[in-house]
Structure formats: structure tokens, C-alpha cells
Amino acid sequence: HPPHMSCRAAWLIGACCLIAGFSSLGLPVSSVEPPAASSDSGRGHAPASSHGSAPQPLRFWHLTDVHLNLWHSARADVRDMCRSAAPSAERRPGSFGHFNCDPAPDGLLRLAVARMAEAEPAPSAILLGGDDHGHVPPSRDGASALSASRRAVASALAAAFPSVPVLPALGNHDTWPYFTAGEAAGSAFAELAELYGGHLAPAQRRHLASRGYYCHRLSRRGGGGGAQPE
């Protein structure tokens, strides 16, 4: 890491799909501070703000690829990603799940979010990377299952971080059929705006609902929002 960047260790949990890309359920809170500036005497100092005190560092959680299986069962078959019943006890997940199976919302997700809140209860924002929905029984898959997974993640975050902005992005597993984009993904965009748009400026909330992208300016003072772009 650069000398002005400090990161705490990750809290890693869950199935292999929970660490898709570069993140796990608990990528660490990051503190980004300006590099020390050299004075004439050679001693470093942090630049003061126009208000007479140094700006607060931005701190955030990055949560991505939760991949919930709302029908996860303790009697499921780990060789089928816990989507069907196991033929024998040795093929069932253990008490803490199995790396080949996506988690249930009242299990690993709840535990991971609780650990996040313990480590940093008041981040500047939570960056939600998408793919809330996981590998589920084919008979259960569909638009309503994706919506239920989105709402389960939103509920867990709202309970642990009630006043923290959650800034969502759409993943390839967040639309039905999978990989849907553009206007065809409109219902998913609209639901993200419904669930998380309360911290966005009205125009940006409309952009999220209709286009799937938006801007949100984080303030170094007070941790939340500041003047937002319209």
C-alpha cells in the first residue's frame, strides 16, 4: 500500500463465490489520508483545511457477491451447491455451511454484517458491489427470487447500519434472465433505487432507477453526504 494508505485486515467468511472478484463479505474498512507535506524544516505535517482542522478520513466497507441461497438447507447436497437434498449425511454442509454452497441470510450473512458493525459501526458509506442472489434450486429461480435476495441483503444492512449510505451497483446475477442490461434491467434498477435511494439527491435517485448509474459525493466532515450533485 502507499505510505498514506492504511487498511485493516479482512474478515473472511463464507463460500468461494463470496470472494468473487477482489472482495469477500467483509473487505476491510479503509482509511485514506492525505500524505504528509514537507515543511521548510523538513518535518512532515498534515495540511490543514480551510476550516482550521484536518479533514476526516473517508472510511468505507465494500460488500460484494453475497450470493444468497434463500432455500439453503442443512440437509442439502454440497456436491450440488446445496440446491437439492443430499443422499447421505456425509454430503451435507456442516454447522457453518460449506465452501461449495451459497449462504442463507440468517446464517453467514447476519454473522458477517455483525462483525462489520463491530469493527467499524459508522463508515462514510457501504459500497455494495452486486450479485446478492446466489445459486438456488432451478425451480425457485426467477425474478421474484432475485428481488427477495436483494431485499434480504438490504434488510441486514439496514439493521446493522441504519444511518449509513449504501451505494449499490448491479451484478450479472441481479437481473432476470442473468446478464440482462440496459432497459431490460429497469425493474432491478428501480428496486435498488427504492431500497437505497434515500441517501441520494433526487436527480441521482432517478438516474439510478432509470439508468443504473448515479453520483454521490461523500463528505469528509460528518461521514455522510454533503452537497450532492443534481
Side-chain angles (χ1 to χ4, degrees), residues 153-211:
V153 172
S155 177
L157 290 175
F161 300 95
S163 61
V164 175
V166 178
L167 307 178
L170 200 69
N172 64 292
H173 255 233
D174 292 328
T175 56
W176 187 260
Y178 297 143
F179 296 94
T180 299
E183 293 183 1
S187 61
F189 296 154
E191 191 165 38
L192 288 179
E194 174 196 343
L195 293 171
Y196 303 114
H199 290 280
L200 301 178
Q204 300 305 320
R205 186 162 58 247
R206 291 193 296 271
H207 288 170
L208 172 58
S210 61
R211 307 173 189 177

Side-chain angles (χ1 to χ4, degrees), residues 73-197:
S73 168
R75 303 178 68 85
D77 188 353
V78 299
R79 295 188 185 179
D80 187 34
M81 303 181 78
C82 291
R83 296 179 297 181
S84 59
S88 58
E90 57 268 20
R91 283 174 54 172
R92 296 173 184 167
S95 301
F96 294 99
H98 190 275
F99 66 85
N100 201 40
C101 299
D102 290 331
D106 59 349
L108 293 180
L109 174 61
R110 179 183 297 177
L111 181 60
V113 171
R115 293 290 189 267
M116 289 166 60
E118 289 176 8
E120 177 51 80
S124 302
I126 296 172
L127 310 181
L128 185 60
D131 278 5
D132 294 340
H133 185 63
H135 301 84
V136 303
S139 62
R140 300 284 194 176
D141 220 352
S144 61
L146 270 66
S147 176
S149 295
R150 263 194 296 276
R151 292 182 179 276
V153 172
S155 177
L157 290 175
F161 300 95
S163 61
V164 175
V166 178
L167 307 178
L170 200 69
N172 64 292
H173 255 233
D174 292 328
T175 56
W176 187 260
Y178 297 143
F179 296 94
T180 299
E183 293 183 1
S187 61
F189 296 154
E191 191 165 38
L192 288 179
E194 174 196 343
L195 293 171
Y196 303 114

Side-chain angles (χ1 to χ4, degrees), residues 57-61 120 122-126 164-165 167 216 218-220 223-225:
L58 292 176
R59 305 172 69 83
F60 58 92
W61 282 107
E120 177 51 80
S124 302
I126 296 172
V164 175
L167 307 178
H216 182 75
L218 293 173
S219 171
R220 286 183 176 272

Side-chain angles (χ1 to χ4, degrees), residues 59-70:
R59 305 172 69 83
F60 58 92
W61 282 107
H62 183 202
L63 175 65
T64 192
D65 292 84
V66 177
H67 281 293
L68 288 181
N69 179 357
L70 300 179

